[in-house]
Amino acid sequence: MDRLTPKSMLFLCVANSARSQMAEGLARKLFGDRVRVQSAGSQPSQVSPYAVEVMREIGIDLAAHASKSVDTIAPNTVDTVITLCAEEVCPVFVGKVRRLHWSIQDPGSADPGLSREEMLTRFRAARDQIQARLEVLDALLDVPKGPAPMEFHASIRVKNLAQSVRFYAWLFGAPPKGWTHRYATFVLPDLHTNFVLVVADGKELHHDTLYHLGIAVADKAAVVRAYELARAAGFEVKKLPRTTWCGTPLHELWLEDPSGNLVEIYACLTDEEQASRPDDLEPTALS
């Protein structure tokens, strides 16, 4: 995994008056002395009083901040640049750095029809969007070592198996590898999957349609190793590593993600392992 390990972070927008200034204040509070944080702009002006006010609401003081030009930032002091422009042309920072782009609408406006409260609402929205993105970045800074996935698996519940098989055979351009009266299995080795996590936005999560997610690993030892890594990382183990014999024989481990979704880490059995199948077909614990 390409790990995010910034030591020095630079936030850029045009005027260095609102978005990048709020990002700098939020990042300093969030990362502390773990990351050096700076901000700048291509056309620096002055820090917006609205930015100062909405940041003060969450205990961050920008009163002493000043807008800076990107030209004043030494390239050797930065390893990660985050641009925050939406419709404007983002500043260019010359240097060999990791580049991230977070499109945040400029909360500033010269519209005289906007009230003070409407302006504060715009600045609070930008502040909260930046904070949420920084929290995700923070969560990625110390991701522990995990399993080495070889295949992605997702299962969904369907109302009518035959109709659903027809739809997905059309969608994937291939028939299922096999099926029973209860399930059908599509194997798509060349398909690149785009899997998206979406925030709940206060809505009740529903898990009946998504049956479970999963990844395949190399072998039985890799399943056991995934268990050890999950325990070390503090993740929820739903079922201990075991070999199951009914249906499709697998070495498997079941985890639960922070939202309650089930995730299976599994490995197919070798022919030799298949030959050792017990008569009672009861699951066998892995050690």
Side-chain angles (χ1 to χ4, degrees), residues 87-100:
E87 299 174 354
E88 320 96 312
V89 176
C90 286
V92 175
F93 183 81
V94 178
K96 187 177 180 181
V97 295
R98 177 192 292 272
R99 300 178 191 275
L100 302 175

Side-chain angles (χ1 to χ4, degrees), residues 33-46:
D33 59 5
R34 292 179 295 158
V35 181
R36 179 184 180 185
V37 177
Q38 304 177 82
S39 72
S42 54
Q43 300 174 31
S45 58
Q46 60 184 8

Side-chain angles (χ1 to χ4, degrees), residues 5-12 28 34-40 68-82 93-98:
T5 56
K7 299 299 182 184
S8 181
M9 191 178 300
L10 173 64
F11 295 97
L12 293 178
R28 287 183 185 278
R34 292 179 295 158
V35 181
R36 179 184 180 185
V37 177
Q38 304 177 82
S39 72
K68 301 175 293 296
S69 170
V70 64
D71 296 332
T72 67
I73 306 297
N76 61 358
T77 66
V78 178
D79 60 38
T80 300
V81 170
I82 300 178
F93 183 81
V94 178
K96 187 177 180 181
V97 295
R98 177 192 292 272

Side-chain angles (χ1 to χ4, degrees), residues 162-211:
Q163 291 177 4
S164 295
V165 164
R166 178 178 174 81
F167 173 81
Y168 283 102
W170 165 81
L171 185 69
F172 297 141
K177 181 179 180 181
W179 61 90
T180 72
H181 62 293
R182 291 186 54 81
Y183 63 85
T185 303
F186 288 87
V187 178
L188 306 161
D190 297 328
L191 182 65
H192 297 280
T193 302
N194 183 4
F195 179 64
V196 181
L197 296 173
V198 182
V199 296
D201 283 335
K203 298 178 182 178
E204 181 180 356
L205 295 177
H206 195 279
H207 297 100
D208 285 345
T209 298
L210 177 62
Y211 186 50

Side-chain angles (χ1 to χ4, degrees), residues 17-226:
S17 63
R19 290 163 293 182
S20 55
Q21 289 285 350
M22 292 191 291
E24 178 182 349
L26 289 164
R28 287 183 185 278
K29 181 177 180 180
L30 184 62
F31 299 127
D33 59 5
R34 292 179 295 158
V35 181
R36 179 184 180 185
V37 177
Q38 304 177 82
S39 72
S42 54
Q43 300 174 31
S45 58
Q46 60 184 8
V47 180
S48 167
Y50 291 112
V52 174
E53 184 168 348
V54 300
M55 293 296 285
R56 186 180 294 123
E57 291 174 351
I58 59 172
I60 298 176
D61 187 4
L62 299 186
H65 283 217
S67 297
K68 301 175 293 296
S69 170
V70 64
D71 296 332
T72 67
I73 306 297
N76 61 358
T77 66
V78 178
D79 60 38
T80 300
V81 170
I82 300 178
T83 49
L84 300 161
C85 308
E87 299 174 354
E88 320 96 312
V89 176
C90 286
V92 175
F93 183 81
V94 178
K96 187 177 180 181
V97 295
R98 177 192 292 272
R99 300 178 191 275
L100 302 175
H101 178 64
W102 297 349
S103 180
I104 306 291
Q105 193 69 37
D106 186 0
S109 174
D111 183 354
L114 291 174
S115 68
R116 165 182 155 77
E117 191 53 44
E118 288 172 327
M119 289 295 292
L120 288 172
T121 297
R122 290 165 61 97
F123 274 77
R124 290 180 185 123
R127 175 199 67 192
D128 294 346
Q129 291 170 22
I130 296 168
Q131 180 167 351
R133 295 191 186 213
L134 285 170
E135 288 170 351
V136 173
L137 178 59
D138 183 38
L140 292 172
L141 294 187
D142 60 351
V143 177
K145 183 178 180 180
M150 300 172 60
E151 176 183 86
F152 177 76
H153 172 86
S155 297
I156 59 170
R157 298 182 189 274
V158 297
K159 293 180 179 179
N160 183 293
L161 180 63
Q163 291 177 4
S164 295
V165 164
R166 178 178 174 81
F167 173 81
Y168 283 102
W170 165 81
L171 185 69
F172 297 141
K177 181 179 180 181
W179 61 90
T180 72
H181 62 293
R182 291 186 54 81
Y183 63 85
T185 303
F186 288 87
V187 178
L188 306 161
D190 297 328
L191 182 65
H192 297 280
T193 302
N194 183 4
F195 179 64
V196 181
L197 296 173
V198 182
V199 296
D201 283 335
K203 298 178 182 178
E204 181 180 356
L205 295 177
H206 195 279
H207 297 100
D208 285 345
T209 298
L210 177 62
Y211 186 50
H212 73 268
L213 305 173
I215 60 168
V217 293
D219 51 27
K220 176 171 67 176
V223 172
V224 175
R225 177 59 176 160

